[in-house]
Amino acid sequence: MKPRDPITRLVNAFRKLPGIGERTATRLAFFVLNESEEMARELADALVEVKERVGLCTVCCNLTEAQVCEICRDPRRDATTICVVERTQDLRAIERTGDFRGLYHVLHGLISPLDGVGPDDIRLRELLTRLQTPPGGMEAPQEVIVACSPSVDGEATALYLQRLLKPLGLTVSRIASGVPIGGELEYTDRVTLSRALSQRREM
Amino acid sequence: MKPRDPITRLVNAFRKLPGIGERTATRLAFFVLNESEEMARELADALVEVKERVGLCTVCCNLTEAQVCEICRDPRRDATTICVVERTQDLRAIERTGDFRGLYHVLHGLISPLDGVGPDDIRLRELLTRLQTPPGGMEAPQEVIVACSPSVDGEATALYLQRLLKPLGLTVSRIASGVPIGGELEYTDRVTLSRALSQRREM
């Protein structure tokens, strides 16, 4: 049941965000109440717009406003190398290093037997499709770099990809360890990420 | 200039909230992207609604959807005692103690000579009006409890109120110290707040 009081409703809505408890949610709500209506509307509009206008790239599953994302559309990028990441945030982290000129594939998850997440629950079918039938005008991929985090699920996903893709004649490589084990790719510093990319080893 | 990219726009909108830096804002934005559209719309609606529907009580300046807030409308409350607080959050904190049965007045600020906030910049005129001319059906106030935080600005405001209101024949009291000096009223535990209320001393 929704509470009638708009302040309580706003507090509850803020509480659904990660890392925001009741105290912080209350603080945010009163901040909004004391700020200009414009500020509140800006955030409200941005929330609606992001859900309305942003979807998945039909090639690489990156978040994009277009059918095909900017990276996949860029003719200067090397379509023969595809870097597989778990989340869009990881793609952004690698882009920030400026070291990678290939394309990406965003899985939106990792295979996790313990959590009941199987190969069909992440964007693996889309990866297989583009590897076997490259979209019009794109060179055929030759190498797949598995840049999932070096966690249990990341390693499980890497192993699965290796078994799936090597028989297709593709080189499958893994980013070098150097990213701290158990750490999050999104928050790894640029130097470590660059090294992990350059020291990738064939699987 | 507004960025064109909806994700960046959302990140920027989140960053305007207090205590939220770029990293947290990015995490929140991607959380929203991965969550249901319903969740995003709920927060967006709550933001707009709170600004549209919540205004100030014409008597006590508490936040309310009505012209006069629930507390001021409650005939069981003792209209002869008015507790003056800095912010709505402080009113809520005192209400949670369950110890106070009088009415409130929310100043929405404190007199702060250093920050250039004078008596005309907070809701003092509204306080004076209701003390001199109680709204229809309300008993005349006899005591004003100054429950501003025991900070420099809180003390300055208390002193100002004492000088302003004692000549009107009102008892002016101050919540007992007991609330830690420099601390925030909103986050004081109930027991301490109850004691501070009961040990108020006449000024």
Side-chain angles (χ1 to χ4, degrees):
Chain A
M1 214 187 72
K2 277 193 180 179
R4 267 189 58 251
D5 166 30
I7 303 180
T8 312
R9 272 239 281 285
L10 182 58
V11 170
N12 290 350
F14 271 129
R15 283 188 64 180
K16 289 190 183 152
L17 297 175
I20 293 187
E22 183 167 0
R23 206 164 258 195
T24 307
T26 306
R27 194 159 53 87
L28 294 179
F30 279 107
F31 176 84
V32 168
L33 276 162
N34 288 320
E35 279 297 305
S36 69
E37 182 161 347
E38 196 195 330
M39 180 260 153
R41 198 167 282 277
E42 217 169 80
L43 177 53
D45 288 347
L47 282 160
V48 171
E49 202 180 271
V50 92
K51 296 302 286 185
E52 274 174 359
R53 285 179 49 191
V54 177
L56 298 189
C57 169
T58 52
V59 176
C60 75
C61 301
N62 182 17
L63 294 169
T64 176
E65 289 179 76
Q67 265 229 310
V68 175
C69 78
E70 267 185 17
I71 296 174
C72 286
R73 282 205 311 268
D74 187 344
R76 289 162 305 176
R77 310 247 354 180
D78 170 18
T80 63
T81 311
I82 294 185
C83 180
V84 176
V85 293
E86 179 191 351
R87 306 172 304 164
T88 319
Q89 294 96 298
D90 303 331
L91 179 157
R92 290 195 167 205
I94 293 175
E95 278 297 284
R96 279 198 292 272
T97 69
D99 280 350
F100 181 66
R101 301 301 304 160
L103 301 181
Y104 292 94
H105 192 86
V106 185
L107 293 176
H108 294 279
L110 293 175
I111 295 173
S112 174
L114 283 175
D115 293 332
V117 182
D120 292 340
D121 301 318
I122 60 177
R123 303 284 174 167
L124 266 174
R125 199 197 323 250
E126 288 85 344
L127 176 62
L128 210 57
T129 304
R130 68 185 284 205
L131 290 175
Q132 291 176 321
T133 325
M138 276 194 188
E139 267 191 282
Q142 285 163 20
E143 179 179 0
V144 172
I145 306 175
V146 183
C148 304
S149 296
S151 60
V152 173
D153 293 345
E155 295 296 345
T157 308
L159 209 65
Y160 185 91
L161 282 169
Q162 178 201 22
R163 289 191 186 150
L164 184 75
L165 303 180
K166 281 201 88 165
L168 303 178
L170 289 157
T171 301
V172 180
S173 58
R174 182 91 174 92
I175 50 167
S177 75
V179 180
I181 299 291
E184 297 226 315
L185 214 93
E186 181 185 0
Y187 301 133
T188 306
D189 64 87
R190 296 176 191 200
V191 180
T192 312
L193 256 179
S194 293
R195 184 160 316 160
L197 271 169
S198 69
Q199 294 189 350
R200 64 184 187 265
R201 55 187 165 69
E202 195 178 343
M203 289 170 70
Chain B
M1 214 186 74
K2 277 193 179 179
R4 267 189 57 251
D5 167 30
I7 302 180
T8 311
R9 272 238 281 284
L10 182 58
V11 170
N12 290 349
F14 271 129
R15 283 189 63 180
K16 289 189 182 151
L17 297 174
I20 293 189
E22 183 165 2
R23 206 164 259 196
T24 308
T26 306
R27 193 159 54 87
L28 294 179
F30 279 107
F31 176 83
V32 168
L33 276 161
N34 288 321
E35 279 297 305
S36 69
E37 182 160 347
E38 196 196 330
M39 180 259 154
R41 198 167 282 278
E42 217 169 82
L43 177 52
D45 288 347
L47 282 161
V48 171
E49 203 179 89
V50 94
K51 296 303 284 186
E52 275 174 359
R53 287 179 46 191
V54 177
L56 298 189
C57 169
T58 52
V59 176
C60 76
C61 301
N62 182 17
L63 295 168
T64 178
E65 288 178 77
Q67 264 229 310
V68 176
C69 79
E70 267 185 18
I71 297 174
C72 286
R73 282 203 312 267
D74 187 344
R76 289 162 304 176
R77 311 262 332 193
D78 169 18
T80 63
T81 310
I82 295 186
C83 180
V84 175
V85 293
E86 178 192 351
R87 305 171 305 163
T88 318
Q89 294 96 300
D90 303 332
L91 179 158
R92 290 195 166 205
I94 294 176
E95 278 298 284
R96 280 198 293 271
T97 69
D99 281 349
F100 182 67
R101 300 303 304 159
L103 301 182
Y104 293 93
H105 192 86
V106 185
L107 293 176
H108 294 281
L110 293 174
I111 294 173
S112 174
L114 282 176
D115 293 333
V117 182
D120 292 340
D121 301 318
I122 60 178
R123 303 285 174 168
L124 267 175
R125 197 195 327 247
E126 289 85 345
L127 176 62
L128 210 56
T129 304
R130 69 184 283 204
L131 291 175
Q132 292 177 320
T133 325
M138 274 194 189
E139 266 192 282
Q142 285 163 19
E143 179 179 1
V144 172
I145 306 174
V146 183
C148 304
S149 297
S151 60
V152 174
D153 294 345
E155 295 297 345
T157 307
L159 210 65
Y160 186 91
L161 282 169
Q162 179 201 21
R163 290 190 186 152
L164 185 74
L165 304 179
K166 280 200 89 162
L168 302 179
L170 290 157
T171 302
V172 181
S173 58
R174 182 91 173 92
I175 50 167
S177 77
V179 180
I181 299 292
E184 298 227 314
L185 214 96
E186 179 184 3
Y187 301 132
T188 306
D189 65 88
R190 297 176 191 199
V191 181
T192 312
L193 256 179
S194 293
R195 182 156 320 157
L197 271 169
S198 68
Q199 294 190 348
R200 64 184 186 266
R201 53 186 167 72
E202 194 179 343
M203 291 172 66

